[in-house]
Amino acid sequence: MAFTGLFLISFLVVHAGLNACIFNDLPVFDENDNGDMFNRAAHFMGSSYVIRIMEIGLFAGIILHIVQGFALEAKNRSRRSVGYKVNLGNRGSKWYSRSMGLLGTLLLLFLIMHVAHFWVPSRFNGLEEVEGKNYHNLFQRMVDVFQSPLVVILYVLGCISLAYHLLHGFQSAFRTLGLQNKRYIVLVQGLGTAFSIVVPFVFALMPIAFYFKWIG
Amino acid sequence: MDHHTMSLTLQVWRQQNANARGKFVTYKVDDISPEMSFLEMFDVLNEKLVNEGSEPIAFDHDCREGICGSCSMHINGRPHGPWAATTVCQLHMRAFHDGDTIVVEPWRANAFPVVKDLVVDRSAFDRIIQAGGYISVNTGNAVDANATPIEKTHADAAFAAAACIGCGACVAACKNSSAMLFMSAKVAHLSLLPQGAPERKSRVLDMVAQMDKEGFGSCTFTEACEAVCPKEISVTNISRLNAEYLVAGLTVDK
């Protein structure tokens, strides 16, 4: 779980960074960008063989993380057939640290919707291309998808699930791999908390920005 | 000091034997002094039950001074009751108020089957220790105390880990019924000391294999174990165990 988790965390950095290119359309940066910076970045990701090979690795990583996660949750749940009448609950641990299976399942449902919204149309159905250029207008796709308030709400909920999943997962992964130095544990916990807030926040801003027409 | 007595309602898990179906039975106890320990309150209740001709409640206890690790009651949802860093035998009735209802359950984990009432079989812990939680030394003359130099920080960390009394509260509190805190305390204790070095790799591999065989779950770092441990064993020991396991797995000779 820890190895695949950290691999997926590294992917989130790339994903959030690349998608943040959409914000170049904000009036404060370049009002006439209209998503060009993002479309060029997305085209680079889609056209490079190196990235395409890494994409296979990414899917393998996600699937492995999901399979391991469900197997681990099932195994651990089977270890106590008779439960307690009164549970320890939040007196001993944080709710999200006990709910990684639930949060992960919510993220899986979100991912299915998310992949269907963007990756599948771009890879298989052939999106409309940018005028005069030979690459897909994924920016326009984002504008279209995020017109629906329901979709925006689901995306924000997905980001909240991601935030709590990371809040436990980030630091837990390092400790599973044996991190025991107290100074580094504090550093990783601080870094993990910041990461868990900043990355999902940047992601959540995207559908919100399109819906309220701050960009697009 | 104020000397009052309390009347309490107890909901206690009763189970005739390992195969019987258990159930909660409600008991009323009166004239409980706040100076009594929780186990003494159970002694009072059992005396009453015996006088009435009923079967007393079976529960584990031995030293009653917090060092043997025998007592194992899950009180109001928390192993060893509401006080931090305290075993049930050291828990006093002043932790409760007149009229309280207290729910008492045995440790719940498939690896700790109920023997009777509140007594569970914790021999799985013994088998984990037997798998490698020791050092093999030939006996002979006692070695001079300062013959083996040990760094102070290592000695302190090993001593803190060695404080584990093997009560099983970590397993009882863990949502995965994991025995990692217990096992990591022993692995950390011995791997930090030079005497533990010769068997360092085989110890951690064998103990983890035995833990899996006993049917304990795995660690997901919720840290509930540390929160309830009467000896305040740190989860950092689990990180140390993981590092030991990783290195041993990659470099072991056999």
Side-chain angles (χ1 to χ4, degrees), chain A residues 1 3 72-73 75-89 91-101 168 171-182 185 189, chain B residues 11 13 24 74-79 103 105-111 171-177 212 215-224 227-228 235-236 238-240 242-243 246:
Chain A
M1 293 307 306
F3 280 119
L72 188 73
E73 185 76 13
K75 188 191 102 179
N76 285 338
R77 276 173 188 246
S78 72
R79 300 310 195 198
R80 180 173 289 138
S81 309
V82 183
Y84 290 110
K85 183 172 182 177
V86 186
N87 279 302
L88 186 63
R91 285 178 287 174
S93 53
K94 299 272 192 294
W95 70 268
Y96 50 84
S97 75
R98 300 191 307 273
S99 312
M100 292 300 274
H168 178 71
Q171 49 97 18
S172 175
F174 281 94
R175 297 161 101 184
T176 297
L177 295 179
L179 182 75
Q180 51 189 294
N181 177 293
K182 280 187 186 129
I185 288 180
Q189 281 174 333
Chain B
Q11 291 184 8
W13 182 260
F24 282 97
H74 201 260
I75 300 163
N76 284 345
R78 195 178 187 280
V103 180
E105 301 171 77
W107 286 175
R108 297 288 191 198
N110 294 358
V171 176
C174 178
K175 81 174 184 68
N176 307 327
S177 307
D212 287 340
F216 292 102
S218 41
C219 175
T220 55
F221 278 102
T222 69
E223 300 183 30
V228 303
V235 285
T236 307
I238 301 182
S239 301
R240 186 179 291 280
N242 288 340
L246 209 61

Side-chain angles (χ1 to χ4, degrees), chain B residues 175-226:
Chain B
K175 81 174 184 68
N176 307 327
S177 307
S178 172
M180 287 283 274
L181 191 68
F182 161 76
M183 195 175 58
S184 71
K186 188 48 64 189
V187 168
H189 165 207
L190 296 177
S191 69
L192 281 162
L193 298 175
Q195 292 91 335
E199 289 150 312
R200 191 168 173 174
K201 290 178 187 172
S202 56
R203 173 183 306 118
V204 65
L205 295 174
D206 293 347
M207 287 178 80
V208 170
Q210 188 63 35
M211 178 190 72
D212 287 340
K213 211 185 285 179
E214 297 292 346
F216 292 102
S218 41
C219 175
T220 55
F221 278 102
T222 69
E223 300 183 30
C225 51
E226 183 184 288

Side-chain angles (χ1 to χ4, degrees), chain A:
Chain A
M1 293 307 306
F3 280 119
T4 49
L6 289 176
F7 171 63
L8 296 177
I9 283 171
S10 70
F11 159 71
L12 283 180
V13 177
V14 178
H15 189 21
L18 198 139
N19 278 39
C21 289
I22 60 167
F23 294 118
N24 196 40
D25 189 43
L26 282 171
V28 53
F29 297 118
D30 180 3
E31 210 164 341
N32 301 320
D33 179 73
N34 292 327
D36 189 50
M37 188 185 189
F38 168 70
N39 278 337
R40 277 185 287 132
H43 177 65
F44 163 73
M45 296 300 279
S47 58
S48 154
Y49 283 110
V50 178
I51 307 287
R52 291 297 294 274
I53 291 165
M54 282 170 73
E55 189 178 52
I56 298 169
L58 173 66
F59 271 94
I62 291 177
I63 291 166
L64 198 60
H65 194 71
I66 293 166
V67 172
Q68 281 177 320
F70 279 120
L72 188 73
E73 185 76 13
K75 188 191 102 179
N76 285 338
R77 276 173 188 246
S78 72
R79 300 310 195 198
R80 180 173 289 138
S81 309
V82 183
Y84 290 110
K85 183 172 182 177
V86 186
N87 279 302
L88 186 63
N90 293 333
R91 285 178 287 174
S93 53
K94 299 272 192 294
W95 70 268
Y96 50 84
S97 75
R98 300 191 307 273
S99 312
M100 292 300 274
L102 172 72
L103 291 167
T105 309
L106 291 175
L107 283 173
L108 173 60
L109 295 174
F110 167 78
L111 272 181
I112 293 169
M113 174 179 77
H114 181 51
V115 165
H117 273 153
F118 296 105
W119 186 80
V120 172
S122 173
R123 181 69 70 241
F124 300 109
N125 300 355
L127 279 177
E128 188 188 324
E129 292 194 342
V130 181
E131 216 176 299
K133 309 269 172 67
N134 62 342
Y135 49 74
H136 291 159
N137 196 342
L138 268 166
F139 187 80
Q140 187 57 43
R141 177 73 187 159
M142 286 173 94
V143 174
D144 296 342
V145 167
F146 297 134
Q147 291 305 307
S148 154
L150 177 68
V151 170
V152 173
I153 290 168
L154 288 176
Y155 268 70
V156 171
L157 289 176
C159 291
I160 293 170
S161 304
L162 178 66
Y164 280 111
H165 198 72
L166 285 172
L167 204 52
H168 178 71
F170 192 101
Q171 49 97 18
S172 175
F174 281 94
R175 297 161 101 184
T176 297
L177 295 179
L179 182 75
Q180 51 189 294
N181 177 293
K182 280 187 186 129
R183 266 182 295 178
Y184 285 123
I185 288 180
V186 170
L187 182 72
V188 162
Q189 281 174 333
L191 201 65
T193 307
F195 189 90
S196 315
I197 295 167
V198 171
V199 169
F201 182 72
V202 169
F203 278 133
L205 269 183
M206 295 173 191
I208 293 171
F210 279 110
Y211 184 74
F212 289 108
K213 306 216 182 316
W214 299 339
I215 49 177

